[in-house]
Amino acid sequence: MKVKRQIITVEELLSRYAAGERDFTCIAINDSREGLFRGVDLSGINLEDFALSVDFSGAILKEANFRYTEWGRCSWENADFSGSDFTGINNGVECYIVRCNFSNTNWERANLWQSTFKDCNMTTANFDNASLAEVDLYR
């Protein structure tokens, strides 16, 4: 049985993160003002089972846990996700991701349907058993 996600605002998440909290498992963001995650450093954050429809452009999310997140619209540029875990993510709509660092990331069992990755660093990324239907990788 799936746990119901707690809905919080971007401001609340950022405030709790700044206070030292890192575990935001099973959260959904009510982002009425898009772009509040742009350029922030959320390294080490745990967003497992997170409903993700936010703009991480320019953000630093090194060593973050995105396991089993559900992706909504995403169009990200110049973000650093190095060392992060994307195991089992489910991309329900097409995403366009440009110049992001995904080095040393894990994408096992990820569904990346209709995602586009342009000029992204995928060095030593693991895509074992990932669904890459209609995925475009451009250099």
Side-chain angles (χ1 to χ4, degrees):
M1 184 170 147
K2 196 102 165 148
V3 177
K4 185 174 179 179
R5 287 190 175 102
Q6 175 189 7
I7 299 174
I8 65 173
T9 65
V10 174
E11 294 89 349
E12 181 181 350
L13 184 144
L14 293 174
S15 174
R16 288 165 53 183
Y17 183 90
E21 187 174 344
R22 296 295 181 264
D23 188 1
F24 296 93
T25 303
C26 211
I27 296 287
I29 289 291
N30 182 8
D31 188 4
S32 59
R33 298 181 306 165
E34 292 184 24
L36 295 177
F37 281 118
R38 286 182 176 179
V40 298
D41 186 342
L42 297 173
S43 295
I45 195 166
N46 180 2
L47 297 173
E48 186 165 336
D49 200 28
F50 187 87
L52 185 66
S53 185
V54 297
D55 185 356
F56 283 131
S57 292
I60 301 169
L61 293 121
K62 294 179 181 180
E63 305 290 328
N65 179 2
F66 291 97
R67 294 172 64 91
Y68 306 105
T69 54
E70 292 182 23
W71 291 13
R73 292 172 313 214
C74 56
S75 181
W76 305 332
E77 293 185 36
N78 302 311
D80 187 352
F81 296 95
S82 59
S84 293
D85 188 349
F86 296 94
T87 298
I89 64 116
N90 186 25
N91 180 26
V93 296
E94 57 186 297
C95 289
Y96 189 73
I97 302 167
V98 180
R99 292 180 303 280
C100 291
N101 183 0
F102 292 106
S103 62
N104 303 310
T105 52
N106 186 15
W107 300 83
E108 287 186 74
R109 298 180 308 281
N111 174 9
L112 294 167
W113 178 74
Q114 288 192 337
S115 294
T116 298
F117 294 88
K118 184 175 180 188
D119 296 326
C120 292
N121 180 352
M122 298 289 204
T123 306
T124 66
N126 175 15
F127 289 95
D128 287 349
N129 299 310
S131 174
L132 302 173
E134 300 183 45
V135 171
D136 292 316
L137 298 171
Y138 296 106
R139 243 357 232 161

